[in-house]
Amino acid sequence: MAKIVLGVGASHSTLMNTHWEETTHKAEAERFRDALYATRERIAAARPDAVILLGSNHFRGFWLDLIPPFTLGVGECNASGESGTPAGPQQVDVALAQHLAAEVIEGGRFDLAFSARLQIDHGQSHAIQYLLAGLDVPIVPLVVNVFAPPLPTFKRCEELALALGAAIESFPEDRRVVVIASGGLSHQLPWPDWRDPHGEDEDFMVQAWLDGRENWADYDVRRRQIIRAAEAAISPEFDNRILDLFETGKAAELAEYTTSELEEAAGNGAQELRTWLMMAAIMKYIPAQRLAYEAIPEWLTGMGVAVLDPATRPTH
């Protein structure tokens, strides 16, 4: 039988790869990177047979021609490889992935999209790069739409996570499963609501999201320039409050946020916290251990790492 042995929430930023030398908050950056490496060792010590990898869409695998709220990879998986992240085919635990899809969909628990040829971006591959380096463990990728409104509600994310948790535990073969959530914490990306763009840059971004399926790299230089020109909008107070909820086993309170409330509090990038909520729900909301929190303006993001370990539940 499958057993869930560890949960991880970790922020991501491709600017770690492309602008490390230009990062002036070097001590903060090194502490965050070291926390990722320490988490990788925790994952290795858990001896996983498979990793459920929850991440977001950044318009390199999903486009405005079709945006499901949730898409489970059940076959081939390719990473786009942008900004120094892993590229090409990724190993998938197809048997576990197809079991999850069947249990969740055919069991009437949730209407979930799936893909037998999924393309992921740094919403998942950043975690593969830093948290799974050298571990040779297959993934089951789940892409959550957090950047193309209307977005799935936090409550709906929780409902899917609970269904997935039950489906994991019903898998009849032996599997030690780690659940990783990639994304967050507070940050504001210079990305428009595609339904109402304003100005030349926002028009360009929406056009890239419409037309980029076959040629996303053609748009990437200007897209990168727009992102690099953005000013950081990090909220350490919000981030620490969220991490406190995880540490005290109260992460379920995230499910009460609306999309607009969260964006007002922590920026559009904080919508990625849907993946953290889902991970915590799968882990049955056990208390977490905070390994790092750093506000790094050069990366535009509040960078956090937390681990949920059933074997060493923290006491508070």
Side-chain angles (χ1 to χ4, degrees):
M1 304 292 287
K3 180 182 180 182
I4 303 170
V5 296
L6 201 70
V8 173
S11 302
H12 61 238
S13 173
T14 58
L15 297 170
M16 286 182 64
N17 295 343
T18 61
H19 289 77
W20 181 268
E21 294 305 321
E22 294 88 340
T23 301
T24 57
H25 289 74
K26 193 70 75 179
E28 293 88 341
E30 289 175 348
R31 285 195 296 267
F32 175 75
R33 183 186 59 186
D34 290 347
L36 292 183
Y37 293 157
T39 303
R40 185 255 176 219
E41 296 306 311
R42 293 281 294 273
I43 294 170
R47 297 179 290 108
D49 301 304
V51 169
I52 309 297
L53 185 48
L54 313 172
S56 48
N57 61 310
H58 296 85
F59 299 102
R60 290 186 177 89
F62 289 84
W63 309 91
L64 289 177
D65 56 6
L66 182 63
I67 301 278
F70 309 97
T71 307
L72 185 71
V74 298
E76 298 174 16
C77 177
N78 286 281
S80 56
E82 79 277 13
S83 304
T85 54
Q90 304 299 312
Q91 185 182 5
V92 174
D93 188 332
V94 173
L96 177 58
Q98 293 185 0
H99 168 83
L100 297 184
E103 286 293 302
V104 170
I105 299 169
E106 294 175 356
R109 293 170 171 160
F110 210 94
D111 296 321
L112 174 68
F114 63 87
S115 172
R117 184 170 291 161
L118 182 68
Q119 180 168 315
I120 59 174
D121 60 35
H122 74 267
Q124 283 83 19
S125 60
H126 192 277
I128 293 170
Q129 179 177 16
Y130 287 98
L131 298 178
L132 302 180
L135 297 188
D136 191 29
V137 58
I139 63 172
V140 176
L142 178 71
V143 180
V144 183
N145 172 35
V146 304
F147 288 124
L151 308 182
T153 66
F154 277 82
K155 196 67 179 176
R156 195 66 173 146
C157 292
E158 180 186 47
E159 291 169 357
L160 173 56
L162 294 173
L164 286 170
I168 293 168
E169 292 178 345
S170 72
F171 188 62
E173 301 177 27
D174 288 337
R175 289 286 194 284
R176 295 176 60 84
V177 177
V178 168
V179 184
I180 295 177
S182 183
L185 301 168
S186 66
H187 60 295
Q188 178 68 33
L189 295 173
W191 288 7
D193 182 330
W194 67 272
R195 301 166 296 186
D196 187 28
H198 295 279
E200 186 177 339
D201 284 347
E202 292 194 357
D203 287 337
F204 167 81
M205 294 295 263
V206 172
Q207 199 62 44
W209 298 343
L210 280 168
D211 296 341
R213 181 174 293 278
E214 302 301 330
N215 60 336
W216 65 263
D218 295 345
Y219 294 93
D220 222 37
V221 172
R222 181 173 174 188
R223 167 178 158 144
R224 200 72 177 166
Q225 290 171 344
I226 293 171
I227 293 173
R228 288 296 299 153
E231 294 186 6
I234 302 172
S235 175
E237 181 181 0
F238 171 87
D239 293 339
N240 280 295
R241 185 166 66 250
I242 294 300
L243 290 170
D244 286 346
L245 290 177
F246 276 81
E247 287 185 292
T248 55
K250 298 177 181 178
E253 292 185 21
L254 257 178
E256 303 307 316
Y257 272 97
T258 67
T259 296
S260 59
E261 287 171 345
L262 193 76
E263 182 156 351
E264 183 177 349
N268 58 7
Q271 304 294 355
E272 292 177 324
L273 281 168
R274 284 166 170 79
T275 65
W276 284 58
L277 171 66
M278 294 176 70
M279 177 272 296
I282 292 172
M283 300 302 299
K284 301 179 180 177
Y285 294 117
I286 63 173
Q289 177 188 4
R290 182 194 308 210
L291 271 65
Y293 175 71
E294 304 292 343
I296 304 180
E298 298 91 322
W299 299 351
L300 306 178
T301 305
M303 308 293 290
V305 183
V307 173
L308 285 67
D309 188 345
T312 59
R313 299 186 183 191
T315 58
H316 295 274

